[in-house]
Amino acid sequence: MDRTVGTVVRGIRAPIIREGDDLAAIAAGSLLAAAEAEGFSPRDRDVFAITEAVAARAQGNYATTEQIAADIRRKFGANATIGVLFPILSRNRFAVVLRGIAMGASRVILQLSYPSDEVGNHLVSEDALDEKGIDPWRDVLTDRRFYDLFGKSEHPFTGMDYLAYYREIIESAGASCELLLANRPEAVLGYTENILCCDIHTRARTARKLRAAGAANVYTLADILCESVDGSGYNETYGLYGSNKATETRVKLFPRDMDRFVADVAARLYEKTGARIEVMIYGDGAFKDPVGKIWELADPVVSPAYTPGLEGTPNELKLKYLADNDFADLSGDALRDAIRESIRKKDADLHGKMASQGTTPRRLTDLIGSLCDLCSGSGDKGTPFVYIQGYFDNYTN
């Protein structure tokens, strides 16, 4: 009998993870308990995904605002005027980080991109810019000028006025603040040559442009807490990127050394099940909300670690293309058999082939990580692990 179900995704419940817990044992044990309770059997090329949040928590990979401030002073010197460029607008992702930066500076020149940050949180609509004749690639606005033009800016989901909120954070941390809205990085150089680039996916270009324009001292958030400072957690690759608010004075950093961890979990599962299960760490998915216009990916990558079988991109034929073109004269069992035969004989690399048009040429880890993020969410589901079966199956299986 033909199979009637393809990919199956399950959120796997787990106990609350605390610092110092043996996460590999908890993750493997939770999956095995779920398989027994729900009656499914692990198979080769299943995918077991673990959210980065519990990985970092188990590691105890945290830092305080005081430790952030200490590293800021190490990089820029005491009592510096620092240009803080292009942070995202987020209470969870950046507010506590900003407090630590401000604690390490005497003056902060906060330069925000507009009409939105890089992940789509809007300060103002493009239509409003057009109405007022504002060119975001030419015009540099102060927050006062912004309010005169557009009034109070409230985030559509949170109701936050981020211009006022970020100013209050900086000033309450003891630094003076000047706020600019400008999309050209060089705009900040009229105020300071000490620059901290806080944009996530465009940080290398921003830093390059500033150095080319003569900035003397340019860092990105990847350079802050890339090593332990006064006993802090750290991430040697991403620094403060991927961090989340833990408390008002503490952030959880992106987990580190995860390659060994995913290999350990895979080995434990193979020992217990005999199945070669792929294992990955996932954070934010890479997708965009069509209403709020927010692109979800506030982490530096979707997956910081995964087993080798998850390397690469899909290599798939478009079934509707085959049905409408190559086999337009067939139907029923004949159509089914012809398509299955095409799949069995498909090239090992379909890049550029017409029959693969419309498939998704994204990395497997980005696709699967996005699927996991949608399944587990970031709220109270209590499923920090996700188990996927059948993802690599096709119409022939």
Side-chain angles (χ1 to χ4, degrees):
M1 179 179 178
D2 279 353
R3 282 171 51 183
T4 58
V5 175
T7 302
V8 175
V9 183
R10 297 179 174 90
I12 305 298
R13 289 187 173 175
I16 303 300
I17 308 300
R18 293 295 190 185
E19 182 175 342
D21 285 348
D22 185 345
L23 184 61
I26 292 171
S30 297
L31 175 57
L32 296 172
E36 182 177 1
E38 301 297 327
F40 63 88
S41 299
R43 302 191 296 260
D44 288 347
R45 298 226 74 190
D46 289 353
V47 180
F48 186 39
I50 298 156
T51 179
E52 60 82 22
V54 296
R57 189 183 303 142
Q59 284 183 335
N61 203 22
Y62 291 88
T64 67
T65 50
E66 290 284 357
Q67 291 163 333
I68 294 171
D71 206 18
I72 292 293
R73 288 188 289 268
R74 288 187 186 188
K75 298 297 194 304
F76 294 102
N79 302 314
T81 296
I82 301 173
V84 175
L85 261 63
F86 303 150
I88 63 172
L89 307 175
S90 173
R91 295 169 298 175
N92 177 46
R93 289 289 189 169
F94 194 69
V96 179
V97 169
L98 180 59
R99 187 177 303 280
I101 294 168
M103 288 167 58
S106 64
R107 184 179 181 219
V108 172
I109 312 300
L110 179 64
Q111 181 174 328
L112 302 178
S113 57
Y114 77 105
S116 72
D117 66 13
E118 70 174 303
V119 298
N121 292 293
H122 274 69
L123 290 166
V124 64
S125 71
E126 287 86 351
D127 290 336
L129 294 182
D130 294 342
E131 181 183 336
K132 299 294 185 178
I134 298 297
D135 180 352
W137 292 105
R138 179 194 64 199
D139 296 325
V140 178
L141 308 177
T142 64
D143 51 345
R144 182 181 296 276
R145 177 62 174 153
F146 180 91
Y147 286 132
D148 288 343
L149 287 165
F150 305 111
K152 186 177 180 180
S153 172
E154 292 189 351
H155 192 281
F157 292 162
T158 65
M160 294 296 298
D161 176 354
Y162 277 98
L163 301 183
Y165 180 50
Y166 278 3
R167 175 181 284 279
E168 189 278 330
I169 288 173
I170 292 167
E171 292 177 345
S172 68
S176 62
C177 174
E178 187 143 1
L179 202 154
L180 306 175
L181 294 100
N183 288 322
R184 291 183 297 105
E186 299 88 344
V188 77
L189 295 181
Y191 300 84
T192 182
E193 293 185 348
N194 295 311
I195 312 296
L196 181 62
C197 303
C198 300
D199 44 340
I200 305 164
H201 309 293
T202 55
R203 62 187 183 271
R205 180 173 184 264
T206 300
R208 172 177 57 78
K209 288 173 71 68
L210 286 163
R211 292 186 182 110
N217 204 17
V218 180
Y219 292 96
T220 77
L221 284 182
D223 301 309
I224 309 301
L225 295 187
C226 58
E227 59 184 3
S228 183
V229 174
D230 298 337
S232 73
Y234 65 96
N235 188 295
E236 57 271 88
T237 303
Y238 299 116
L240 280 172
Y241 288 119
S243 62
N244 294 84
K245 176 180 179 179
T247 70
E248 295 298 329
T249 60
R250 196 170 184 237
V251 293
K252 177 195 64 61
L253 304 176
F254 220 39
R256 61 180 189 270
D257 299 328
M258 287 288 99
D259 288 333
R260 286 180 291 182
F261 173 81
V262 296
D264 181 18
V265 175
R268 290 170 186 254
L269 292 175
Y270 179 71
E271 180 183 356
K272 295 293 185 180
T273 68
R276 299 191 181 277
I277 298 167
E278 306 293 349
V279 180
M280 67 180 289
I281 303 296
Y282 72 96
D284 274 348
F287 47 83
K288 184 174 181 177
D289 178 78
V291 176
K293 302 179 182 179
I294 297 171
W295 182 39
E296 177 70 12
L297 187 55
D299 285 327
V301 291
V302 173
S303 176
Y306 47 87
T307 48
L310 296 177
E311 189 64 60
T313 60
N315 191 57
E316 299 175 347
L317 295 171
K318 193 74 169 180
L319 297 192
K320 67 180 182 182
Y321 177 87
L322 295 177
D324 291 343
N325 290 272
D326 295 26
F327 308 120
D329 57 335
L330 300 179
S331 62
D333 291 348
L335 175 60
R336 178 200 63 195
D337 293 343
I339 287 178
R340 286 180 171 175
E341 188 64 16
S342 292
I343 294 171
R344 292 189 186 98
K345 293 181 177 180
K346 68 182 177 182
D347 293 341
D349 184 1
L350 292 170
H351 179 72
K353 302 294 178 62
M354 190 61 70
S356 68
Q357 65 175 331
T359 59
T360 309
R362 294 166 57 191
R363 293 185 301 179
L364 288 167
T365 50
D366 292 342
L367 292 165
I368 297 170
S370 298
L371 176 62
C372 293
D373 190 24
L374 287 167
C375 175
S376 64
S378 58
D380 57 8
K381 289 184 174 61
T383 55
F385 313 136
V386 176
Y387 196 61
I388 304 171
Q389 294 190 292
Y391 188 85
F392 294 103
D393 291 354
N394 60 42
Y395 196 48
T396 68
N397 296 115

